[in-house]
Amino acid sequence: MSDEPNNRTAYLFDPKSPLVFRTGRPFDQAGDPVSLDFPLPSTLAGACRTAIGDAKKVNFAKDGEKLKEIKVHGPLAAQITEDGKAKPLFPKPADAVYMRKDGRKEDEIKTEVLQLKPEDINEDANETDTWSDLPKGLLPVYPEKELSGKPYRKGANWWTKENLVAWLLDNGELKIAPEKLGWSGPQQEVRTHVQLESKTLAAAPSQLFQTNNLSFSPKRLTREEDKEGSKHEGWTKEQYGLLAHLPKDNLKDMPELFRRIGGEGRIARVERQEDGWPQIDGTLRTELKQSKFIRLILATPALFTHGWRPGWLEDDMSGYPPGFSQDDQYTIRLQLKAFITPRWQPVSGWDLVRNPQPGEKQGKGGPGCARAVRRMVPAGAVYWFEVKAGHAQLPELWLQPVSDEDQDQDDGYGLALPGIWKK
């Protein structure tokens, strides 16, 4: 971890229209009906760095690589209150399972949030048993109690800080309905577009295409949702946006501006907010210093050398998280015991600088080329660790990047949320 001062400033991106975030798939006249559910960290990092470059009148072709050294952490989702303040939201942890028990009547449906934990069920077995294909020393993950009912598809995909902290403290199951844990996420919108003839400005025959958009604006309530009558004329009152953090606060001279973000350059208002970046809870800080076992939950997708396995873990599954080695200000050594991750996600894109051609050296510039596809560990993935050293320093892991490569860390991939693991 660097010795930079820990500023609490955050930058709120308030979208003024639905945003477009491509998946990296080819885009043609048939359109790309698939969209990312949430922007990648590099997307928001690029928007922040471009704003800094424009303000300083940087020659992007010549000095653009220097902008990539600016650290940007995020994005987190944020609820925008009526007074314009941002309340951070965190992705649903993968060790939380929404379940429902169906009654005979519709109003008898009950939901609950179950917790998954590692469990050593093979203590007495010998080494020749082949009951699992997990790497040696890793434990399987099971529900804490016997399942009853069915998985519940609805519920919040983004949790409020209060609910997340309660989960990180490992005080048992949350006695709250999944829908009330936070926000379900941005709404998908499909828009149909038409190509215009340059001479006549009329629609070109058969030239239609579609874009898939993410709307962060209030949504219209259904009749079932608006049974009691909405005081907002049938619309939700919540407004949402994206939250970013710059450790060096490089945008401090630009308290408010409008920027283009994502595909098609949709507009978002950017506002600097003092104390807007979430800090670790005091109780959680105290508990972590006394804990021998912890969980790390990913707040943003991570990029690791070995797929699900961080490259900073050695063959015995122990290692030092990035920035917390023996040569750094804080030293933490962890031993991986278990993990659970959702299905991996691809990350690709288009490189506008690199343009390799047969017989030419890379990096000469030009029209660019496609980036290689990499596999991300999605946000919400959970890793259980035994703490081997550095117990007192564990709170410093709060929202620090744990991806392997320095550039991925600077882009905000792999921000970690440390929590308690009560065995």
Side-chain angles (χ1 to χ4, degrees), residues 71-98:
K71 297 181 180 180
V72 182
H73 292 171
L76 297 178
Q79 180 182 345
I80 305 174
T81 60
E82 294 182 357
D83 59 357
K85 299 296 182 181
K87 295 178 61 177
L89 299 169
F90 301 86
K92 169 187 170 293
D95 61 344
V97 180
Y98 298 156

Side-chain angles (χ1 to χ4, degrees), residues 118 135-139 292-296 308-310 312-321 332-339 383-391 394 397 421 423:
K136 185 178 180 180
L138 296 189
L139 303 175
K292 296 182 180 179
F293 301 92
I294 67 168
R295 293 173 288 162
L296 286 185
W308 63 265
R309 172 188 162 191
W312 44 270
L313 291 178
E314 301 172 1
D315 292 339
D316 63 351
M317 296 297 173
S318 68
Y320 301 94
I332 298 175
R333 186 171 180 84
L334 304 174
Q335 176 80 45
L336 182 65
K337 291 298 182 180
F339 72 96
Y383 291 80
W384 286 266
F385 292 96
E386 179 182 355
V387 183
K388 294 295 186 179
H391 298 76
L394 292 176
L397 284 168
W421 172 22
K423 296 190 67 175

Side-chain angles (χ1 to χ4, degrees), residues 257-368:
L257 66 158
F258 288 84
R259 300 301 306 176
R260 299 174 63 186
I261 180 174
E264 298 192 358
R266 302 288 175 83
I267 298 297
R269 176 175 172 266
V270 185
E271 180 182 352
R272 184 174 185 266
Q273 298 212 348
E274 298 286 350
D275 296 327
W277 191 244
Q279 303 298 303
I280 188 170
D281 177 78
T283 303
L284 179 60
R285 174 184 290 275
T286 302
E287 294 270 348
L288 282 171
K289 292 181 178 180
Q290 303 171 0
S291 180
K292 296 182 180 179
F293 301 92
I294 67 168
R295 293 173 288 162
L296 286 185
I297 300 175
L298 296 181
T300 58
L303 288 164
F304 297 131
T305 306
H306 307 297
W308 63 265
R309 172 188 162 191
W312 44 270
L313 291 178
E314 301 172 1
D315 292 339
D316 63 351
M317 296 297 173
S318 68
Y320 301 94
F324 295 91
S325 68
Q326 294 174 317
D327 299 328
D328 292 305
Q329 179 181 2
Y330 304 111
T331 300
I332 298 175
R333 186 171 180 84
L334 304 174
Q335 176 80 45
L336 182 65
K337 291 298 182 180
F339 72 96
I340 180 172
T341 71
R343 184 183 179 91
W344 66 271
Q345 297 175 337
V347 54
S348 180
W350 192 261
D351 194 327
L352 296 176
V353 177
R354 180 172 172 266
N355 183 34
Q357 299 293 335
E360 295 183 0
K361 295 182 180 180
Q362 297 181 355
K364 285 192 172 183

Side-chain angles (χ1 to χ4, degrees), residues 60-75:
F60 288 92
K62 182 179 179 181
D63 301 319
E65 286 295 318
K66 295 181 180 179
L67 291 173
K68 294 173 66 176
E69 300 175 1
I70 298 175
K71 297 181 180 180
V72 182
H73 292 171

Side-chain angles (χ1 to χ4, degrees), residues 12-290:
L12 173 64
F13 284 70
D14 181 8
K16 295 306 176 185
S17 61
L19 303 181
V20 179
F21 300 107
R22 305 264 186 234
T23 61
R25 295 169 51 175
F27 182 76
D28 53 24
Q29 294 180 358
D32 184 6
V34 180
S35 172
L36 295 175
D37 293 330
F38 202 72
L40 298 176
S42 51
T43 300
L44 203 65
C48 292
R49 290 166 182 159
T50 302
I52 296 170
D54 289 342
K56 296 183 177 181
K57 299 181 179 180
V58 172
N59 185 332
F60 288 92
K62 182 179 179 181
D63 301 319
E65 286 295 318
K66 295 181 180 179
L67 291 173
K68 294 173 66 176
E69 300 175 1
I70 298 175
K71 297 181 180 180
V72 182
H73 292 171
L76 297 178
Q79 180 182 345
I80 305 174
T81 60
E82 294 182 357
D83 59 357
K85 299 296 182 181
K87 295 178 61 177
L89 299 169
F90 301 86
K92 169 187 170 293
D95 61 344
V97 180
Y98 298 156
M99 301 293 294
R100 73 174 183 179
K101 299 178 181 179
D102 292 348
R104 294 184 178 181
K105 299 179 181 179
E106 183 178 354
D107 57 357
E108 291 179 355
I109 295 178
K110 297 182 179 180
T111 57
E112 57 184 345
V113 183
L114 296 184
Q115 187 173 18
L116 304 178
K117 280 192 174 184
E119 182 178 349
D120 194 349
I121 63 172
N122 206 39
E123 292 179 345
D124 299 329
N126 57 53
E127 295 182 359
T128 61
D129 285 343
T130 57
W131 59 275
S132 170
D133 60 353
L134 286 170
K136 185 178 180 180
L138 296 189
L139 303 175
V141 178
Y142 288 93
E144 267 200 308
K145 67 179 185 180
E146 185 178 352
L147 296 179
S148 60
K150 300 179 180 179
Y152 190 58
R153 294 184 177 274
K154 299 180 181 179
N157 294 316
W158 292 87
W159 289 14
T160 63
K161 184 181 178 182
E162 294 77 14
N163 291 325
L164 178 78
V165 170
W167 191 258
L168 292 176
L169 288 171
D170 202 7
N171 291 329
E173 300 172 5
L174 297 180
K175 304 300 182 181
I176 184 173
E179 297 91 343
K180 298 181 180 180
L181 287 168
W183 179 43
S184 61
Q187 301 296 308
Q188 297 273 353
E189 289 187 2
V190 178
R191 293 186 175 185
T192 302
H193 307 261
V194 62
Q195 178 181 332
L196 298 180
E197 294 282 5
S198 58
K199 295 182 179 179
T200 63
L201 297 182
S206 72
Q207 298 300 309
L208 295 175
F209 67 96
Q210 291 181 327
T211 57
N212 195 286
N213 310 264
L214 294 184
S215 175
F216 292 79
S217 303
K219 69 173 184 177
R220 192 170 189 85
L221 297 173
T222 63
R223 290 184 178 180
E224 295 181 356
E225 295 172 330
D226 198 28
K227 288 180 180 179
E228 300 178 358
S230 172
K231 62 181 180 180
H232 295 272
E233 297 181 354
W235 294 79
T236 59
K237 65 178 180 179
E238 293 84 2
Q239 177 83 18
Y240 296 92
L242 304 170
L243 208 60
H245 172 65
L246 284 74
K248 291 188 176 180
D249 201 8
N250 309 73
L251 283 170
K252 61 183 177 181
D253 296 330
M254 295 168 281
E256 181 180 347
L257 66 158
F258 288 84
R259 300 301 306 176
R260 299 174 63 186
I261 180 174
E264 298 192 358
R266 302 288 175 83
I267 298 297
R269 176 175 172 266
V270 185
E271 180 182 352
R272 184 174 185 266
Q273 298 212 348
E274 298 286 350
D275 296 327
W277 191 244
Q279 303 298 303
I280 188 170
D281 177 78
T283 303
L284 179 60
R285 174 184 290 275
T286 302
E287 294 270 348
L288 282 171
K289 292 181 178 180
Q290 303 171 0

